[in-house]
Every structure is written in structure tokens, then in C-alpha cells.
Amino acid sequence: MKTLKELEEIRQKTLDRVNQRKDRTTTRIVVGMATCGIAAGARPVLLAVMEEVEKLGLTDVTVAQTGCIGLCKMEPIVEVFKPGEEKVTYVKMDADKARRIVAEHIRDGKVVDEYTMHVVQGKILNDYKAEKE
Amino acid sequence: MREISLHIMDIIENSITANATFIEVKIKENILDNLLIMKIKDNGKGIDSETLKNIKDPFVTSRTTRKVGLGLSLFEATCLRCNGYLDIKSELGVGTEVTAVMEYNNIDRPPLGKMEETIISALLNPGVDLVYEHYYNEKSFLLDTREVKKILGTEEINTPDILIWIKDYIKENLKEISGGAF
Ligand code: FES
């Protein structure tokens, strides 16, 4: 049975990382958590992102959540912000797709085109327009 | 929503949107009284009385607050279906308290679901402290993030390694207090 005492064991690791991170630019992975996102399955997506980041030992990555992204029909949505690169928006996510994004995009640097907003069910979508809606 | 814990997550998201820095989540599984009681209380900016009147009505609430109202009306519908109710108290500048009650053994009651995932999702927000209390009849479990932060010696607990640890910690403890029913 886990007790809070065990946390002390990961304490040093945490402190090291916090110090390390101060002078680095990190990648941000953001999951939309509005009512529609939650209903569409955003929580398992968020969990999969966290677990994959942990499993792959990626330290320069921040996982965050946000409220309404304004694209209910496209939820669950994951946004990736890499320093110096343009934002990539992934739509209609599930846990498996989310794990692929962490491995292929975050770790290997290759955007997973088939899940980005531009192509959904064969339709080309306009990034800019969607953002304005 | 397929799980009650997703409704709870939605309520917590409202609290975070309302700039809450402290959230209390209390779940009571009173099987002996056939009651499931849930309370989510925050110190967010609160809701004015005019908005509060209509907040559970998905059609009446104003456009800007509809997103808040929508989740609440869904949660209320689930409560009502299970012979319970949903109550919201709020005061501007003080905070909001949502109480949801359902018949425990009602056939329409969704499973509570993965509370541990709901809690760690909320903890991704750096500026939030949370107290989570879960009762199963007379047994209980309590998590206070202020205590976790003290032990770790940092305010930064919103990292995957720590949150996944907390998730497993919650899960094990819920299993323990419920005698494996969780
Ligand atoms: S309410 Fe659906 S994305 Fe905002």
C-alpha cells in the first residue's frame, strides 16, 4: 500500500528537474477540457499523454490543460507548442493517437499529419478560420 | 457523461475557470443509507444571483455563461434521474459550492468511475490546491495537495511522474476503504 512517505523518495529527482528546467525552453502539450471535450473523451487522452511522457522519460515537456478551444465537433483536441515552431493542433484524439503523438512528434520531431486539423475525414480545414469561430 | 467522475471533473473545470486556487472535493458513498453525496467547493470568483437563478437551465442562461450551465444541467439531469438533486450556492468574491445527491443503488446511476484521473487532471493546474475526501460508509481517505507539496519541497507537483504516482496512490486507497469495490 502506497503512503505519502514514499513521495520523499522521488523528492530529490523532482528538485533536480525543477532546477534543470529553469533555463530551458520546453515543449507544451495542451489538452482541451471544456464540457464538450470531457464528454468526447479528453480525460483518457490527457492521461495517455502524461503516461507516455513519463514512460519515454521526456523531461523538457509540460503537459497542461485548457478550457474551451472553440471547436466542439473536433474534440478531444491536443495542441502542441514546440519552441520556435508553429503550433500544431490535433483533433478527434483518443488515447492511442495521443501516445503516437508523444512518441513521434514530441520525441522524434515528426508531426503526425493524419491527425492534424487540416485533414479530417477527407475534408481540408482552414486553420485560421477555425480559430476565429 | 458515462461516469460521475467526469461530471465532477467538469465542475472542477468550472472552478478553475473561475480562478479558484483552493478546491474541496468530498464524495460520500453511504451505502447503508442508499445515498451518494458529492460536494465540490471552491474559492473562485463566484456567480452573481441573477445568473445563478438560471444557471442549470441550458436554454435560458446567457451566451457567455452557457458553457458553465451546460455541464451543470447535464449533471442535474443525472441526479434527478436517480431520485436526487443538484444544488448550487455561490457568492461573488467568496466562491461556489455544488452539492449533488443520488440514490446509491438507483438503476440509472452511472458508475462513479475513475476519480483518481479526475483529481490528477485538476492538479495539472499549477496554482490550485485541492483537498479530496472520500468516504465509503464509515471508512475514509483524504488527500491534501498542500501536504504533498510540503513533503516534496516544491510547489511544482504538476509533472507527469508525480501526478501518476498520486493517481496510483488514490486508486489504492479507494480500493482499500471500499474493500475492493472500487
Ligand atoms: S464548448 Fe466545445 S470547444 Fe468550447
Side-chain angles (χ1 to χ4, degrees):
Chain A
M1 176 91 165
K2 277 187 156 53
T3 63
L4 276 183
K5 278 253 167 294
E6 272 176 50
L7 266 182
E8 283 171 11
E9 290 166 26
I10 52 175
R11 180 176 177 193
Q12 197 51 49
K13 222 176 88 195
T14 312
L15 291 180
D16 290 348
R17 191 193 43 232
V18 170
N19 289 333
Q20 224 178 48
R21 205 196 290 179
K22 287 219 169 77
D23 39 43
R24 286 212 204 157
T25 42
T26 58
T27 293
R28 273 171 70 77
I29 310 174
V30 181
V31 182
M33 285 286 174
T35 303
C36 58
I38 295 171
R43 194 182 67 186
V45 167
L46 182 64
L47 264 288
V49 169
M50 280 198 255
E51 280 166 359
E52 197 67 8
V53 166
E54 167 74 350
K55 195 179 115 201
L56 300 178
L58 308 175
T59 49
D60 279 357
V61 175
T62 308
V63 183
Q65 55 145 67
T66 185
C68 173
I69 295 179
L71 286 164
C72 299
K73 276 195 221 143
M74 303 284 158
E75 298 277 355
I77 295 176
V78 174
E79 295 177 322
V80 174
F81 302 84
K82 279 197 161 198
E85 289 173 28
E86 247 184 84
K87 172 180 91 175
V88 177
T89 302
Y90 291 107
V91 298
K92 300 203 171 182
M93 286 283 99
D94 61 30
D96 288 335
K97 292 176 182 173
R99 277 187 218 104
R100 246 190 91 184
I101 285 160
V102 175
E104 294 179 27
H105 185 176
I106 311 301
R107 186 191 56 190
D108 303 339
K110 278 204 331 256
V111 176
V112 187
D113 283 323
E114 54 190 293
Y115 303 153
T116 58
M117 183 143 75
H118 303 279
V119 184
V120 179
Q121 294 172 342
K123 267 192 238 154
I124 312 285
L125 293 161
N126 185 325
D127 226 330
Y128 178 73
K129 185 171 159 260
E131 249 177 44
K132 292 281 147 192
E133 268 168 13
Chain B
M1 309 263 182
R2 283 175 300 257
E3 294 178 9
I4 291 172
S5 63
L6 291 173
H7 283 296
I8 294 173
M9 181 158 161
D10 187 52
I11 306 293
I12 295 176
E13 287 301 318
N14 291 346
S15 298
I16 290 165
T17 308
N19 301 325
T21 54
F22 188 65
I23 303 171
E24 290 168 86
V25 179
K26 197 185 269 185
I27 311 283
K28 287 189 170 180
E29 298 187 65
N30 285 349
I31 293 125
L32 304 173
D33 305 327
N34 194 24
L35 283 177
L36 175 62
I37 304 163
M38 296 146 282
K39 264 187 207 300
I40 300 99
K41 189 178 169 190
D42 70 48
N43 68 347
K45 65 176 189 253
I47 305 160
D48 64 82
S49 52
E50 204 42 47
T51 311
L52 197 60
K53 261 192 233 153
N54 302 322
I55 197 156
K56 293 186 287 184
D57 187 333
F59 303 110
V60 174
T61 357
S62 72
R63 179 79 185 140
T64 45
T65 52
R66 201 186 68 183
K67 280 152 198 161
V68 169
L70 185 62
L72 280 169
S73 56
L74 288 174
F75 197 13
E76 182 178 48
T78 306
C79 292
L80 293 176
R81 230 178 14 248
C82 301
N83 277 334
Y85 62 88
L86 184 117
D87 179 53
I88 310 170
K89 288 193 182 64
S90 190
E91 206 181 313
L92 277 179
V94 178
T96 302
E97 184 179 328
V98 176
T99 306
V101 177
M102 298 178 195
E103 248 175 28
Y104 195 85
N105 72 359
N106 194 292
I107 190 141
D108 287 321
R109 183 175 70 78
L112 199 45
K114 296 179 172 160
M115 274 307 295
E116 67 277 10
E117 295 193 1
T118 285
I119 298 295
I120 69 160
S121 302
L123 297 184
L124 270 180
N125 295 280
V128 173
D129 271 312
L130 190 144
V131 172
Y132 168 43
E133 237 179 311
H134 195 126
Y135 289 84
Y136 191 90
N137 290 330
E138 73 293 345
K139 287 193 181 168
S140 70
F141 161 68
L142 184 131
L143 175 84
D144 185 337
T145 58
R146 293 166 301 186
E147 197 186 342
V148 172
K149 287 176 180 175
K150 216 176 181 174
I151 293 174
L152 284 171
T154 174
E155 283 290 306
E156 245 187 85
I157 62 165
N158 58 332
T159 57
D161 53 347
I162 295 172
L163 293 181
I164 287 168
W165 187 92
I166 293 176
K167 183 194 80 178
D168 295 338
Y169 173 69
I170 295 173
K171 204 170 156 188
E172 275 186 22
N173 277 279
L174 291 184
K175 210 174 236 160
E176 171 76 19
I177 62 166
S178 67
F182 217 83

